[in-house]
């Protein structure tokens, strides 16, 4: 086991995860107090070593503060699925300076995307929940001659600032960019943000998930019009069940939904969500909603109505 992996404490704050749009950093392990090694430090070092040596098909995770990066079974919640290694020593010799973060993003895009798509059997949904990422050498590792890039797949929130844990190998997943029923998505400058508790102001609440392949069973891509018709037929039923038959219009709320593009459909992404929100009358975005609509028609405690500037239709097809 190489010294650079055993001495996990030396890597605090050093590793970066790169997506194609955002750079993430985290401390992968804590150092021992006063320079003394502890069992915890040894465990962290062993976990880190195992993560760096994990072959394609392995899944990695770490704590919210970035510590204790380690491999886990892909059937467990994880943040990163390894798709392969890339050695860039041919382009960057031992004396080359470490690339900037922007250049690292370009390197990840150029070197990892093709391999990730191949890992998925050539079907990477460009609009799906997975993005291509990489673990790059720290500056210290770079100075020591490390030129290996660990490529992988991960899921980021709409802001691109946080990774979302997934369960199951990406090879076996419908890649549709959806969230579970009951998830609320933040309102950020009239647009959709990251998942938040429904008690907080939000843009949408997911009230249903529909597998369009159950409606269009011949495998042929359904047109936008066909998808809209299918969602219009099914979403109101799911919304009524979820909300306890809440009168959405009376609350200034709208039922909307997503559809799938052909690139997504061809990659096997067939699921779409039904969601409740409050589009503004001028179509400039969304109004804030507070509280969940789950069972509100029965409890008599619906979500806080949005401002009067929002619309009131009960169903509005979305993107």
């Amino acid at each position: 086991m190489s010294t650079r992996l055993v001495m996990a404490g030396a890597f605090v704050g050093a590793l970066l995860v790169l997506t194609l749009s955002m750079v993430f950093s985290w401390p992968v392990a804590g150092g021992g107090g006063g320079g003394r090694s502890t069992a915890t430090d040894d465990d962290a070092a062993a976990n880190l070593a195992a993560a760096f040596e994990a072959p394609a098909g392995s899944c990695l995770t770490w704590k919210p503060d970035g510590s204790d990066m380690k491999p886990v079974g892909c059937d467990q919640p994880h943040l990163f699925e390894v798709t392969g290694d890339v050695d860039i020593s041919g382009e960057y010799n031992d004396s080359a300076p470490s690339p900037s973060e922007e250049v690292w993003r370009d390197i990840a895009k150029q070197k990892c995307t093709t391999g990730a798509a191949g890992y998925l059997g050539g079907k990477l949904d460009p609009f799906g929940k997975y993005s291509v990422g990489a673990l790059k050498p720290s500056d210290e590792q770079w100075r020591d001659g490390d030129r290996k890039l660990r490529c992988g797949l991960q899921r980021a929130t709409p802001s691109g600032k946080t990774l979302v844990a997934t369960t199951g190998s990406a090879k076996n997943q419908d890649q549709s960019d959806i969230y579970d029923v009951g998830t609320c998505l933040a309102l950020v400058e009239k647009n959709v943000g990251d998942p938040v508790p429904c008690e907080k102001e939000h843009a949408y609440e997911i009230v249903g998930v529909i597998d369009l392949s159950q409606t269009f069973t011949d495998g042929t891509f359904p047109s936008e019009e066909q998808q809209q018709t299918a969602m219009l037929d099914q979403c109101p039923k799911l919304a009524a069940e979820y909300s306890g038959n809440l009168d959405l219009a009376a609350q200034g709320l709208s039922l909307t939904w997503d559809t799938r593009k052909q690139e997504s459909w061809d990659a096997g992404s067939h699921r779409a969500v039904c969601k409740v929100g409050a589009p503004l009358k001028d179509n400039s975005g969304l109004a804030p909603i507070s509280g969940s609509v789950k069972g509100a028609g029965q409890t008599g405690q619906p979500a806080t109505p949005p401002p009067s500037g929002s619309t009131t239709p009960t169903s509005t097809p979305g993107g």
Side-chain angles (χ1 to χ4, degrees), residues 236-258:
K237 299 174 185 176
L238 294 180
E241 292 173 1
Y242 180 84
S243 69
N245 294 307
L246 178 68
D247 186 342
L248 296 176
Q251 299 298 321
L253 300 172
S254 298
L255 175 63
T256 184
W257 48 79
D258 294 340

Side-chain angles (χ1 to χ4, degrees), residues 190-257:
K190 299 182 182 181
N191 291 311
V192 179
D194 296 352
V196 294
C198 291
E199 292 72 25
K200 294 186 176 182
E201 287 191 347
H202 55 269
Y204 285 124
E205 181 174 359
I206 309 302
V207 299
V209 176
I210 293 173
D211 185 348
L212 289 166
S213 68
Q214 299 300 309
T215 300
F216 304 100
T217 57
D218 63 357
T220 304
F221 171 68
S223 67
E224 174 71 14
E225 182 179 359
Q226 289 175 313
Q227 292 184 58
Q228 293 285 2
T229 299
M231 298 299 281
L232 176 61
D233 177 59
Q234 299 178 59
C235 279
K237 299 174 185 176
L238 294 180
E241 292 173 1
Y242 180 84
S243 69
N245 294 307
L246 178 68
D247 186 342
L248 296 176
Q251 299 298 321
L253 300 172
S254 298
L255 175 63
T256 184
W257 48 79

Side-chain angles (χ1 to χ4, degrees), residues 275-292:
K275 53 195 179 183
V276 168
L280 295 169
K281 287 183 178 180
D282 61 4
N283 293 319
S284 64
L286 297 161
I289 307 169
S290 298
S292 174

